Amino acid sequence: MRFLLPVLILLSSCASAQTNPEPPLIPRPVSITMAEGYFPVTSAVSIIIDSKELKSEGSYLRDVLATLLPEAPMLLPQRTIEGPVIALAISNDGEMPTEGYSLHITPERIDLVSSDRAGIFHGIQTLIQLLPPKGSETAVPCLTITDHPRFAWRGMHLDVSRHFFGVEFVKMYIDLLARYKMNRFHWHLTDDQGWRIEIKKYPKLTEVGAWRSGSQIGPYGRGEYDSIPYGGFYTQEQVREVVAYAAARHITVVPEIEMPGHAMAALAAYPEYSCKGGPFEVQKGWGVFEDVFCAGNDSTFSFLQDVLSEVMGLFPGEYIHIGGDECPKESWKACAKCQARMKSEGLKDEHELQSYVIQRIEKFVNAKGRKIIGWDEILEGGLAPNAAVMSWRGTEGGVAAAKSGHYAVMSPGSHCYFDHYQGDPANEPLAIGGYTTVQKVYSYEPIPAELKADQAKYILGAQGNVWTEYILTPEQVEYMAVPRMLALAEVLWTPKDKRDEADFIKRLELEFPKLEATGVNASKSLYQVRIKPRQGNKPGTIELDMSSGTSRGTCMYRLEEGYDRPDRTQSIVNGFYQKTLLLNQSGRLEGYLTDTISDRWTEYPPSKQEFHFNLATAQKITTTPPPAERYSEGGAFTLVDGITAQEKRVNTEWLGWLKDVTITVDLGSEQDISHIGIGALNETYSWIHLPKQVEVSISSDGKNYSPLGSAEAKATVGRSEFVINKAVKARYVRLVVKHAGLIPEGFPGAGKQSWLFLDEIEVH
Ligand code: TNX
């Protein structure tokens, strides 16, 4: 009988080859083999744990099932009764990778095996994903999964300083991480706008530092604030509660205490640890502030070390995040104590002084048996010997760290900043900027191509960052984090060769109703119709591609003015609907998805786009040099694509340069001209400055140009037009745009090269 049983099972499973379809799991497991039949999940199920060690995981599973079933299943140390079982067991055979598990489901029993408790927990998450979101007794399909993560650090960050989120929400956030097998929660607890963690030795940190007298409203740079007192903090008891809650979900909480910059809230409470001595206010607005911790004062270090001692007492994890980013050096330059420190320590500049601060703090933290991690600025002036780097300004920081044998966590703004727009900014709630779709996150490869295998092992993983300057409520945190976090979870867990965007999107769409059922406000920006213009075959015509990120529904459009009757055909490219349309005159367009069944609009409001045609629109255009790669969407054509860029659409509609640019447009034939103009952006907080001037010249043959004059603009915030009004005849128009050069003192990024942002040439 012992030998017969497996054979019988084998035979029966081959007989009617009706295996179940693969379930839509996120992240996709390493290997999954489907079988026939179902395991019924009813109150009759008992959960068996092979050792006391798994009590926490067993109870977790029981509690989840209790919410679905009429009665909670029994949790037993071993099999004492007959009936269906879910058996959780630790295997000591040493075969299973860290955090890996195997899940075997047959009609009679479920076996979940791992070499560690984390693996059991991840296997439970897989099992939960197989269950329906709500409702009663159910069944899960028979299958075998063997699974393990690709990276050890699978993180999500939350900034609770700019806006504060209470313990209940933080736990919810941790639950979301757990659901997708993420295992690091980076808690950004201090910043200029609020200190959020109780420190017993320094009560003013929360009495004073946790409260501000108002908050910035609207976009940066407008100087608009409300005067509503704002604040909040976590008591140490609450912190312990969160740490324990996360630990039960195999998530390590990484606390961040910002130093030496982003310290205004701390300095408002204890101004004596600054260079100037204060008084200071907890900041109402966002940005980077000149006053930082004084690096020349030994009592500053005692203060920071006392704070870190309490923090290390609360957070048992290996890493303590000490910030280190965006620390202006002005106050150190003017501070006698800091200058004396530089002299006595033989430091050649303020970058080395920053490095001195970090290394001194590192020594302290290391002596307590912990390690520090910091933003990539900690590389400047020399990296502390044992520090890990969190690479946010691109991937260079991570590369430099790995090449020098330091661990790194990748979090580049381009793919991992979930405070950026995830759909066309024109259709999204106000965000900080950027443009990072869920597909873009999914395309992220955490190991930079330039690393060799022995260096790549220093890349611990990656992390999604949720900075909350423009994120005011828990609902909006969810909107910004989900679904991008799911894409990142798969990037970090699933083997590279098993990643497949179209397949992920399909699974994601099946996940949306489940997220909804658990009350998560996921963004549906995926369903937004993207309207992308490109140069038509004939000059003066624009071809429009309309596409959505999903294969569901039909991508439709409505032409409001200026166009012929809409036709309703579409084609499928790479599994996604796509429509191409030809335009040659001004008008308005709406793109939207309809449900194929009911013809009603689904999921996402229509995208609207106005097109304004002028003599330059969709004509031949060159720019020398081409725009910088980061801001080159659509190429030179973007300047004549009929779309006038809006301020919000920095990454989609404006082109950016770091130097002068010469733009030439061929109008196709000699034209009567009375107006030549171009738009430029003034957004100094993003280092974007207006050009000094625009020199305009014209030509009939494209060889000999005669100057028409030079245009200046008023330096208003936002969009400005550089215009020449003169009646002339010409075929070619040339604009030489003079870049503003280095950013002047008094502006963010002073001394660095400014950005020149241009869009839409107007010739009438
Ligand atoms: C830069 S990322 C910061 C934060 C901001 C964030 C907004 C980093 C280390 N510093 O202070 O909140 O940009 O995207």
Side-chain angles (χ1 to χ4, degrees):
M1 198 49 206
R2 267 181 94 185
F3 297 100
L4 248 179
L5 199 60
V7 175
L8 274 176
I9 291 173
L10 242 175
L11 277 178
S12 67
S13 64
C14 292
S16 61
Q18 252 315 329
T19 50
N20 294 306
E22 201 173 304
L25 299 167
I26 298 176
R28 193 180 194 179
V30 172
S31 133
I32 175 162
T33 312
M34 300 309 298
E36 214 187 317
Y38 288 87
F39 173 88
V41 182
T42 69
S43 298
V45 167
S46 23
I47 300 166
I48 301 177
I49 48 178
D50 76 337
S51 70
K52 275 226 180 65
E53 208 193 338
L54 290 177
K55 201 158 167 235
S56 155
E57 288 68 35
S59 329
Y60 178 92
L61 177 59
R62 184 200 50 206
D63 294 348
V64 172
L65 292 179
T67 64
L68 297 173
L69 303 171
E71 260 178 78
M74 292 213 273
L75 179 62
L76 304 167
Q78 63 221 329
R79 185 158 198 169
T80 49
I81 49 165
E82 288 304 302
V85 298
I86 303 177
L88 313 183
I90 293 284
S91 127
N92 295 318
D93 66 5
E95 297 278 288
M96 197 103 49
T98 312
E99 294 188 83
Y101 67 92
S102 79
L103 180 67
H104 186 54
I105 305 180
T106 67
E108 294 78 30
R109 56 184 286 136
I110 295 180
D111 283 288
L112 174 56
V113 181
S114 172
S115 54
D116 52 36
R117 288 175 49 213
I120 295 288
F121 186 79
H122 299 317
I124 289 173
Q125 293 306 322
T126 300
L127 184 55
I128 292 171
Q129 285 198 16
L130 295 173
L131 300 169
K134 261 196 181 136
S136 56
E137 305 201 331
T138 180
V140 289
C142 293
L143 51 71
T144 302
I145 289 175
T146 52
D147 204 8
H148 64 267
R150 180 173 169 211
F151 289 101
W153 187 299
R154 304 181 302 280
M156 280 296 288
H157 148 289
L158 182 65
D159 167 10
V160 295
S161 173
R162 276 58 177 267
H163 285 99
F164 180 67
F165 302 93
V167 168
E168 278 321 298
F169 178 71
V170 170
K171 287 182 175 172
M172 228 270 353
Y173 195 71
I174 288 171
D175 281 332
L176 267 176
L177 268 65
R179 183 170 170 89
Y180 303 103
K181 302 185 173 69
M182 295 202 123
N183 66 352
R184 294 286 185 286
F185 170 48
H186 174 169
W187 209 0
H188 184 77
L189 288 163
T190 74
D191 214 305
D192 302 302
Q193 297 80 6
W195 182 282
R196 306 282 177 228
I197 176 171
E198 177 191 20
I199 300 295
K200 303 265 194 212
K201 191 159 181 188
Y202 299 96
K204 282 192 281 178
L205 281 173
T206 44
E207 282 163 18
V208 175
W211 308 94
R212 61 179 185 247
S213 60
S215 304
Q216 180 183 317
I217 43 177
Y220 190 93
R222 296 282 155 97
E224 289 168 30
Y225 305 92
D226 66 29
S227 49
I228 305 165
Y230 186 93
F233 66 92
Y234 310 101
T235 63
Q236 294 206 347
E237 203 174 315
Q238 287 175 316
V239 168
R240 276 193 207 94
E241 187 185 324
V242 167
V243 169
Y245 191 85
R249 284 149 186 79
H250 296 278
I251 290 171
T252 305
V253 186
V254 182
E256 179 180 352
I257 305 295
E258 277 271 20
M259 62 189 78
H262 283 295
M264 291 307 286
L267 295 177
Y270 295 96
E272 58 268 40
Y273 303 128
S274 72
C275 294
K276 292 185 206 135
F280 304 110
E281 272 188 11
V282 180
Q283 295 302 303
K284 296 189 284 186
W286 326 130
V288 171
F289 302 88
E290 224 171 79
D291 291 292
V292 301
F293 285 118
C294 175
N297 191 345
D298 279 326
S299 65
T300 306
F301 288 93
S302 315
F303 165 79
L304 291 172
Q305 290 172 1
D306 288 344
V307 167
L308 288 173
S309 295
E310 289 194 32
V311 167
M312 284 186 273
L314 294 165
F315 296 90
E318 179 181 23
Y319 282 103
I320 302 294
H321 202 302
I322 48 76
D325 61 311
E326 299 179 321
C327 178
K329 310 292 188 291
E330 280 77 12
S331 68
W332 291 350
K333 282 186 190 153
C335 169
K337 283 187 188 164
C338 289
Q339 294 304 312
R341 170 87 72 203
M342 285 167 59
K343 229 174 168 181
S344 67
E345 295 291 331
L347 307 171
K348 80 167 189 294
D349 59 17
E350 284 74 17
H351 291 294
E352 291 196 354
L353 184 57
Q354 146 119 359
S355 172
Y356 167 85
V357 173
I358 304 296
Q359 297 200 14
R360 187 161 162 182
I361 293 295
E362 176 180 68
K363 244 188 231 138
F364 175 78
V365 171
N366 285 172
K368 305 253 169 178
R370 308 293 188 90
K371 295 182 185 160
I372 64 161
I373 183 165
W375 301 108
D376 53 48
E377 284 94 332
I378 68 170
L379 283 156
E380 293 165 3
L383 186 53
N386 307 309
V389 170
M390 198 166 261
S391 189
W392 73 280
R393 297 175 304 175
T395 55
E396 295 85 350
V399 169
K403 284 192 173 164
S404 59
H406 288 265
Y407 286 107
V409 174
M410 306 306 282
S411 196
S414 57
H415 294 78
C416 296
Y417 269 46
F418 298 166
D419 56 340
H420 289 181
Y421 287 107
Q422 55 194 314
D424 185 336
N427 303 316
E428 292 283 322
L430 179 68
I432 199 164
Y435 183 52
T436 306
T437 61
V438 65
Q439 291 94 334
K440 182 156 186 202
V441 177
Y442 195 81
S443 74
Y444 183 53
E445 171 47 41
I447 306 274
E450 57 263 56
L451 292 187
K452 301 197 194 80
D454 61 326
Q455 298 164 333
K457 66 171 190 275
Y458 288 104
I459 305 294
L460 291 174
Q463 176 176 295
N465 291 343
V466 182
W467 300 100
T468 58
E469 288 95 330
Y470 298 90
I471 302 180
L472 279 62
T473 62
E475 293 71 33
Q476 215 189 338
V477 172
E478 293 170 9
Y479 181 86
M480 298 305 274
V482 185
R484 287 184 285 195
M485 172 191 136
L486 280 62
L488 187 62
E490 183 149 312
V491 165
L492 293 172
W493 181 281
T494 305
K496 198 176 166 189
D497 62 5
K498 290 215 93 187
R499 258 156 67 186
D500 174 339
E501 182 190 304
D503 183 73
F504 169 74
I505 297 293
K506 281 191 192 131
R507 282 178 283 125
L508 175 59
E509 292 190 68
L510 294 168
E511 191 68 12
F512 279 135
K514 296 188 183 179
L515 285 161
E516 208 166 298
T518 32
V520 177
N521 180 36
S523 159
K524 302 285 180 66
S525 306
L526 181 69
Y527 293 99
Q528 183 179 108
V529 170
R530 283 189 76 182
I531 302 173
K532 262 193 101 172
R534 63 189 152 80
Q535 176 73 60
N537 278 339
K538 273 199 293 176
T541 65
I542 293 175
E543 276 180 16
L544 287 182
D545 282 333
M546 292 201 287
S547 59
S548 80
T550 164
S551 56
R552 248 179 13 120
T554 309
C555 186
M556 306 293 285
Y557 60 91
R558 180 158 60 202
L559 300 166
E560 298 209 325
E561 300 154 16
Y563 303 113
D564 289 341
R565 243 190 75 243
D567 80 71
R568 292 190 147 212
T569 54
Q570 83 272 321
S571 55
I572 296 175
V573 180
N574 298 331
F576 298 131
Y577 288 112
Q578 225 162 56
K579 169 71 198 159
T580 304
L581 201 69
L582 205 68
L583 302 187
N584 60 7
Q585 54 177 312
S586 300
R588 234 159 58 137
L589 177 78
E590 264 187 14
Y592 59 98
L593 279 183
T594 57
D595 194 297
T596 30
I597 302 163
S598 61
D599 204 40
R600 68 181 157 78
W601 293 13
T602 52
E603 316 292 354
Y604 201 86
S607 309
K608 297 182 185 177
Q609 187 60 64
E610 283 188 28
F611 289 90
H612 296 284
F613 274 67
N614 63 67
L615 292 174
T617 306
Q619 299 295 343
K620 266 190 223 141
I621 178 166
T622 56
T623 72
T624 321
E629 205 198 322
R630 273 173 72 183
Y631 301 109
S632 62
E633 174 103 15
F637 171 69
T638 298
L639 299 177
V640 291
D641 66 358
I643 300 174
T644 312
Q646 305 302 307
E647 286 166 39
K648 269 174 128 189
R649 298 170 85 172
V650 161
N651 294 64
T652 51
E653 278 300 331
W654 293 93
L655 297 183
W657 283 268
L658 287 164
K659 37 184 109 142
D660 294 349
V661 53
T662 300
I663 303 166
T664 311
V665 188
D666 173 0
L667 304 176
S669 58
E670 189 101 331
Q671 301 283 349
D672 285 315
I673 297 171
S674 60
H675 169 118
I676 298 173
I678 188 164
L681 186 63
N682 188 21
E683 195 179 281
T684 53
Y685 65 88
S686 308
W687 304 14
I688 303 167
H689 288 247
L690 291 178
K692 283 198 206 112
Q693 60 175 19
V694 179
E695 289 163 7
V696 182
S697 54
I698 50 170
S699 165
S700 301
D701 57 9
K703 288 185 193 109
N704 304 303
Y705 283 84
S706 39
L708 255 197
S710 86
E712 322 258 332
K714 259 212 254 129
T716 45
V717 175
R719 194 188 166 88
S720 282
E721 303 285 338
F722 288 73
V723 176
I724 294 262
N725 287 310
K726 260 187 195 164
V728 285
K729 268 189 194 311
R731 172 170 172 180
Y732 298 89
V733 172
R734 175 166 288 173
L735 308 164
V736 178
V737 186
K738 296 287 187 194
H739 183 274
L742 300 182
I743 298 172
E745 280 309 316
F747 289 95
K752 302 254 169 57
Q753 187 72 344
S754 65
W755 279 100
L756 166 65
F757 269 53
L758 299 173
D759 183 58
E760 217 52 16
I761 295 171
E762 297 257 346
V763 180
H764 299 284

